[in-house]
């Protein structure tokens, strides 16, 4: 830390936190029963128990507890990087602490049944594909706009379309790959982008039967793309064949939300239904159905490092199975 220019105060704080963690592990009265007795052997449960102890300390503010947890996380990340430890048990703890799920109690709440009626009222193939993709995947509007045909695989042949092509999608039919790299103003897949993706890591997202059918309907009428990147979603109006922008998608959502009484000028984010609201809807409803925050956070793109590698490895056995078993239906049943 000294070589990296850290101040004496910072180094002292790190040392104090690490010694406190070491003492916690060694103390039978406070250490987790059956847990590790030294940091090298500590696991996720040991680290989580230590963080809970910090939270119960009346002299520590919540922000201080978060800082101490970050110190321990960086210690383990460094020790893992140089090969002294096999894994970083704080990685999952930090993902759980760094909760990005919107719990704003004032935000408009819409039931799955009402959202199903809303989707049922959208007839235009492009508008319906945009809304269903956002609702079924929880992706950001910029990520939606940056999708290319190579980012989609479907378990059926579509004449005239060369879908897939991503190495990350090999052996994964009916899937979308949401990359982390596209940034505003930079060329990506041969095209300068007007939106940025904000994922910590690229993510493979399942495409269920409803979304697949919706995308097939859209692709059956999709204009030829003006860009060599072959965007998945292109304009059908004045910008015929051109990649859609986040502003255009927001306008589509706003028009349909206004028709449903879910959008009013000046009402604000807590009342208005926007593309970002669909991300909130996906998060809350899928989280409540699965009880698995980890899978939901992976699908949202909020998971990084060795944790996302775990979900990627178990994608076929865990993520997709969990998703397909619990994702809500947006199609009216006869």
């Amino acid at each position: 830390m000294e070589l990296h220019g850290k101040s004496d105060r910072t180094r002292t704080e790190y040392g104090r936190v690490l010694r406190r963690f070491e003492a916690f592990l060694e103390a039978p009265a406070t250490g987790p029963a059956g847990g590790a007795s030294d940091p090298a052997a500590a696991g996720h449960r040991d680290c989580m128990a230590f963080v809970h102890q910090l939270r119960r300390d009346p002299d520590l503010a919540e922000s201080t507890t978060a800082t101490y947890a970050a110190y321990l996380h960086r210690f383990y990340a460094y020790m893992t990087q140089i090969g002294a430890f096999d894994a970083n048990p704080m990685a999952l703890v930090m993902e759980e602490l760094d909760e990005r799920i919107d719990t704003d109690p004032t935000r408009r709440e819409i039931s799955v049944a009402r959202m199903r009626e809303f989707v049922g009222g959208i007839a235009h193939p492009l508008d319906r594909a945009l809304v269903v993709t956002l609702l079924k995947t929880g992706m950001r509007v910029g990520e939606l706009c940056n999708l290319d045909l190579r980012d989609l695989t479907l378990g059926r042949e579509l004449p005239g379309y060369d879908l897939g092509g991503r190495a990350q999608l090999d052996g994964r039919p009916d899937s979308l790959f949401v990359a982390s790299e596209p940034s505003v103003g930079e060329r990506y897949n041969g095209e300068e982008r007007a939106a940025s993706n904000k994922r910590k890591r690229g993510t493979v997202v399942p495409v269920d039967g409803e979304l697949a059918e919706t995308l097939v309907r859209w692709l059956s009428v999709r204009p030829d793309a003006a860009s060599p990147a072959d965007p998945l979603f292109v304009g059908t109006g004045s910008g015929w064949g051109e990649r859609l922008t986040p502003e255009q998608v927001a306008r589509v959502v706003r028009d349909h939300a206004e028709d449903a009484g879910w959008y009013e000028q000046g009402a604000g984010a807590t009342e208005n239904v926007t593309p970002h609201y669909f991300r909130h809807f996906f998060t809350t409803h899928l989280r409540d159905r699965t009880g698995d925050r980890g899978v939901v956070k992976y699908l949202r793109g909020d998971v990084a490092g060795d944790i996302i590698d775990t979900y990627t490895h178990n994608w076929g056995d865990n993520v997709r199975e969990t998703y397909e078993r619990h994702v809500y239906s947006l199609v009216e049943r006869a």
Side-chain angles (χ1 to χ4, degrees):
M1 293 180 68
E2 183 177 1
L3 289 173
H4 284 213
K6 300 296 185 183
S7 67
D8 290 342
R9 179 181 177 183
T10 299
R11 299 202 306 271
T12 299
E13 281 293 293
Y14 265 88
R16 189 155 58 86
V17 172
L18 294 177
R19 284 192 293 272
R20 179 169 179 166
F21 178 57
E22 189 174 39
F24 168 80
L25 294 175
E26 293 174 349
T30 57
S37 59
D38 66 88
H44 163 254
R45 293 180 63 187
D46 303 292
C47 293
M48 182 59 78
F50 175 64
V51 172
H52 283 316
Q53 187 198 65
L54 294 178
R55 282 177 161 170
R56 291 193 295 269
D57 189 333
D59 295 328
L60 296 181
E62 186 66 25
S63 59
T64 303
T65 297
T67 298
Y68 285 2
Y71 286 172
L72 189 58
H73 174 52
R74 291 168 191 161
F75 162 74
Y76 272 111
Y78 175 75
M79 297 298 278
T80 303
Q81 184 179 12
I82 66 174
F85 293 170
D86 293 331
N88 178 0
M90 277 296 294
L92 183 57
V93 176
M94 293 306 294
E95 291 297 338
E96 293 169 352
L97 289 177
D98 186 24
E99 184 53 71
R100 297 174 183 268
I101 292 177
D102 187 352
T103 56
D104 184 355
T106 65
R107 184 181 291 272
R108 177 193 292 273
E109 290 300 329
I110 298 174
S111 67
V112 172
R114 290 184 65 199
M115 189 63 76
R116 190 177 297 128
E117 293 176 2
F118 172 75
V119 171
I122 302 175
H124 193 290
L126 173 58
D127 294 4
R128 188 181 180 96
L130 295 172
V131 170
V132 173
T133 301
L134 289 169
L135 282 168
K136 285 280 189 171
T137 67
M139 69 176 66
R140 300 170 178 87
V141 65
E143 296 168 344
L144 176 90
C145 294
N146 278 325
L147 290 173
D148 296 330
L149 292 184
R150 68 172 185 165
D151 299 316
L152 170 68
T153 58
L154 293 173
R156 66 191 80 181
E157 290 292 329
L158 288 180
Y161 285 108
D162 185 17
L163 301 180
R166 288 272 196 181
Q168 296 89 340
L169 293 175
D170 286 349
R172 292 175 175 172
D174 294 307
S175 301
L176 280 165
F177 180 74
V178 187
S180 61
E181 298 89 351
S183 297
V184 173
E186 295 185 2
R187 293 189 68 80
Y188 184 77
N189 194 24
E191 180 187 352
E192 184 175 317
R193 300 303 169 113
S196 296
N197 288 9
K198 299 179 180 179
R199 302 220 155 202
K200 293 183 178 180
R201 290 276 297 276
T203 311
V204 179
V205 180
V207 171
D208 74 341
E210 289 182 0
L211 178 54
E213 188 62 34
T214 301
L215 291 174
V216 168
R217 286 182 58 195
W218 155 240
L219 290 172
S220 68
V221 299
R222 169 185 172 272
D224 290 337
S227 166
D230 247 349
L232 176 58
F233 297 114
V234 298
T236 58
S238 58
W240 181 267
E242 296 180 357
R243 184 186 300 275
L244 293 183
T245 66
E247 292 75 21
Q248 290 173 311
V249 176
R251 189 157 54 246
V252 167
V253 173
R254 183 194 65 204
D255 290 345
H256 290 288
E258 283 180 339
D259 291 342
W262 292 349
Y263 191 98
E264 182 179 348
Q265 289 291 340
T270 59
E271 286 293 321
N272 287 339
V273 170
T274 64
H276 184 72
Y277 180 87
F278 293 149
R279 183 168 167 85
H280 160 77
F281 182 92
F282 171 87
T283 300
T284 54
H285 285 283
L286 195 59
R287 178 201 62 198
D288 292 346
R289 285 163 172 251
T290 64
D292 190 332
R293 291 175 180 266
V295 167
V296 176
K297 286 168 71 67
Y298 164 79
L299 293 169
R300 283 168 49 96
D302 291 339
V303 180
D306 51 357
I307 300 304
I308 200 170
D309 292 335
T310 298
Y311 283 111
T312 301
H313 178 72
N314 293 329
W315 187 87
D317 298 329
N318 185 12
V319 175
R320 178 157 206 135
E321 178 184 339
T322 300
Y323 174 87
E324 291 189 334
R325 187 167 65 249
H326 296 287
V327 70
Y328 38 79
S329 172
L330 295 174
V331 174
E332 295 279 2
R333 303 298 178 185

